[in-house]
Amino acid sequence: MRRVFVLLLLALSGCGAAVERHVLVPAEAWAPSSPALRDKAETFRQVSRAVARAAGAECRRQTKGQNCDFVILVDLGPFSQPNAFQTLDEHGRPLVIFNQGMIGSARNGDEMAFVMGHEAAHHIMGHIARQIENAKEGARVFGELAKAQGEGPDEIERAQQLGAEVGMQSYAKAFELEADILGTVITNEAGYDPLKGMAYFSRIPDPGDRFLASHPPNARRVEVVLKTAADLGLVE
Ligand SMILES: [Zn+2]
C-alpha cells in the first residue's frame, strides 16, 4: 500500500491539450504539509476506510466477478480546481482519486463521504464500460448516416467523432443521477450523513439545464438524494 501511483492525464486547458504528470498516494500514506490540509487528513483517512468498506460490500452484493477492492488515492498535484474521479488500474482494480483541492474544499467528513460514495457508485454500475459502448454505438450510427448520404472519408470520420461525443453525452446525466442515488446509500452505510454531504452541491457551479451538459442541474440531483434518503428512512 506504500506504493506511489503515477498517472498521466490528458488535461484540456484553454485551446491546447497538455499531458500532466499526476503523483498519487494512498489515503493512508497521505501526509500534507499545509496546516489547513493537515487538519482534514485524519478525517479523510477515516472516511476512506469507511467508504471503501461500504462500497466494497455494496459492489459484491450488486455485481458478479467485478473487482470490488476499492483503493482511495490522493492526487498530490499540480494543485488545481477541486476534482474527484474514478478509474481502474491496469488490473481492473477500482481507484477513487481526490485531488488536494477537493479535500480542502470539503467542509466535513459527510461531504467527503458523499463525493467518494458517488465516485464508487460509478464503478459499481459499470459506467465507464457503458460510456465506451455508447460512444462506439454513436460513432457507428453517425458514420453510417454520413455514408448513406454519399459523404467522403473525411466527412464520415468527422461524423463518427461527433457521434461518439453525442453517444457519450446522451447518458451522462442519467449516469450522474444513478451515481447520486447509489452514492447516497453508500454514504449512509459508511456511517455518514448524505443529507449533510449533499450540501456540497450548493457550492459547486450549477450546470443548469443545458442540452448535452455532462452533469444534471444541481436541483435535480438534490431531488434524487432527498428521495433516496427518504426511502432509507433518513427523513420524515
Ligand atoms: Zn459523477
Side-chain angles (χ1 to χ4, degrees):
M1 282 298 285
R2 291 279 147 173
R3 162 164 94 102
V4 171
F5 297 75
V6 176
L7 197 71
L8 292 171
L9 292 178
L10 190 66
L12 292 165
S13 53
C15 51
V19 175
E20 290 177 351
R21 194 162 175 277
H22 286 245
V23 178
L24 309 170
V25 293
E28 294 299 331
W30 180 52
S33 50
S34 98
L37 283 176
R38 230 176 315 163
D39 285 349
K40 294 195 170 171
E42 185 46 34
T43 306
F44 185 73
R45 282 191 288 269
Q46 284 168 5
V47 170
S48 298
R49 283 192 288 270
V51 172
R53 203 181 314 121
E58 197 60 42
C59 176
R60 282 175 204 104
R61 246 195 310 277
Q62 294 202 18
T63 68
K64 272 208 184 82
Q66 190 161 312
N67 192 324
C68 294
D69 240 345
F70 285 92
V71 183
I72 316 297
L73 299 168
V74 179
D75 183 342
L76 297 184
F79 195 89
S80 49
Q81 287 294 322
N83 191 25
F85 65 99
Q86 63 102 24
T87 186
L88 302 173
D89 75 3
E90 67 273 29
H91 310 295
R93 195 170 179 192
L95 310 177
V96 175
I97 301 166
F98 273 58
N99 71 3
Q100 298 189 96
M102 181 77 218
I103 299 168
S105 71
R107 288 199 177 143
N108 49 48
D110 298 301
E111 292 188 4
M112 292 177 195
F114 187 83
V115 174
M116 212 178 277
H118 172 100
E119 295 305 326
H122 277 308
H123 171 70
I124 296 170
M125 303 181 109
H127 284 162
I128 290 181
R130 286 160 67 191
Q131 286 277 44
I132 293 170
E133 277 314 303
N134 292 340
K136 280 191 198 155
E137 182 59 14
R140 190 187 64 78
V141 170
F142 275 55
E144 271 172 20
L145 280 172
K147 208 185 277 177
Q149 285 166 1
E151 301 283 12
D154 286 355
E155 284 76 16
I156 291 173
E157 201 189 312
R158 255 198 299 279
Q160 286 170 334
Q161 279 167 3
L162 179 64
E165 189 83 3
V166 171
M168 277 217 302
Q169 293 285 348
S170 57
Y171 282 95
K173 287 188 205 175
F175 287 170
E176 290 308 316
L177 293 175
E178 280 180 24
D180 284 335
I181 292 169
L182 183 56
T184 299
V185 172
I186 292 169
T187 304
N188 180 53
E189 283 171 358
Y192 291 90
D193 185 345
L195 295 171
K196 285 189 188 146
M198 77 168 177
Y200 194 75
F201 288 149
S202 61
R203 298 205 304 282
I204 56 173
D206 193 332
D209 220 350
R210 276 181 297 127
F211 178 65
L212 291 186
S214 65
H215 281 67
N218 289 343
R220 181 82 187 96
R221 302 184 70 181
V222 168
E223 207 178 293
V224 304
V225 173
L226 284 175
K227 163 87 173 61
T228 311
D231 293 346
L232 293 169
L234 299 176
V235 273
E236 273 100 71

